Amino acid sequence: MQFEPGDRRRVLPRHLRPQPEPEVFSYAIRPARSGDLPYVREIYNHFVSNSVVTLDERRSSIPYWREKFALLSKLGLPFLVAVSPAGVVIGYALAQPWAGKNAYRYTVEDSIYLGPGAGGKGLGVALLQALIDACEQLGIREMVAVISDTKADASIRLHAKLGFVEAGRMGRVGHKFGRDLGTVYMRRALRPSRRRKFFSTGSGR
């Protein structure tokens, strides 16, 4: 169909106009690298400054994360990041020793944080499941989560969805932003696929 000069193209009704394709939320999960640490720090510091999800009150530093990265690497424990197609870290999950005593070597505590705008899209489930899988491949038997009991319903639901059960609560053990805070303990028994190699956290007690 041709249009002569002066003709006006007909505007299609809204319901007949081509609709833009919805933006797909995509990411890749991989082991963390040293170059990811500035992104990890910023994600964590966002929660330090703006929430009680973490009871830390001081923003973390790059040396802090380098030390943690080196420790987890030495112990062979997983530290995972979720990366956008542009290569930006949008979330992370790690497993750290539950306590410094060697008898706890088959138990880890998980830590999982998502960057602003990355929540509510299934990323938390994917990251935590990847962390569980990695720990089971290492021979870890138990995973523990320590969750703030204030405005942390999303974290509790996330862990419950992946088989964690509540193991106890402690009230008023923390204080941040002028409020007394408690903690919720959740745990999940893992199914290790092989025997865990002995590792030491350096504590002799």
Side-chain angles (χ1 to χ4, degrees):
M1 179 178 180
Q2 294 182 342
F3 289 86
E4 298 297 330
D7 285 347
R8 299 182 61 185
R9 292 179 180 270
R10 179 169 177 256
V11 178
L12 290 174
R14 185 179 299 275
H15 69 281
L16 294 179
R17 297 175 194 172
Q19 298 298 315
E21 292 293 329
E23 184 177 349
V24 178
F25 180 69
S26 59
Y27 54 86
I29 296 176
R30 60 165 173 78
R33 305 165 185 162
S34 59
D36 299 324
L37 298 182
Y39 296 103
V40 170
R41 178 192 64 171
E42 289 308 309
I43 290 174
Y44 185 70
N45 284 347
H46 169 77
F47 289 94
V48 171
S49 300
N50 298 287
S51 79
V52 294
V53 172
T54 171
L55 297 188
D56 272 342
E57 295 182 299
R58 295 182 179 179
R59 294 169 61 86
S60 59
S61 65
I62 289 295
Y64 166 85
W65 283 103
R66 286 175 180 162
E67 183 177 345
K68 182 181 286 289
F69 181 75
L71 174 63
L72 298 183
S73 298
K74 177 183 177 182
L75 299 177
L77 293 175
F79 188 162
L80 306 176
V81 292
V83 184
S84 73
V88 177
V89 175
I90 56 176
Y92 72 89
L94 60 86
Q96 57 195 346
W98 166 239
K101 298 177 176 63
N102 291 334
Y104 291 117
R105 62 186 174 274
Y106 296 108
T107 301
V108 294
E109 177 184 350
D110 77 271
S111 181
I112 177 169
Y113 289 89
L114 306 182
K121 301 176 181 180
L123 178 57
V125 171
L127 262 176
L128 184 53
Q129 185 62 63
L131 188 71
I132 291 170
D133 293 343
C135 286
E136 289 182 330
Q137 291 172 12
L138 291 171
I140 300 298
R141 300 174 185 171
E142 291 280 334
M143 184 175 287
V144 178
V146 183
I147 304 170
S148 170
D149 68 354
T150 301
K151 295 185 178 180
D153 293 343
S155 184
I156 293 174
R157 287 195 301 269
L158 167 62
H159 285 82
K161 187 172 184 178
L162 290 182
F164 285 73
V165 295
E166 186 173 322
R169 292 179 178 242
M170 295 182 68
R172 301 180 64 182
V173 292
H175 188 84
K176 185 176 181 180
F177 298 151
R179 289 181 288 170
D180 290 326
L181 303 167
T183 53
V184 178
Y185 290 82
M186 302 186 75
R187 58 171 290 272
R188 170 176 161 158
L190 304 185
R191 297 178 179 178
S193 59
R194 65 184 179 87
R195 185 178 178 83
R196 172 67 170 156
K197 292 182 179 180
F198 175 80
F199 70 90
S200 174
T201 60
S203 173
R205 297 183 179 182

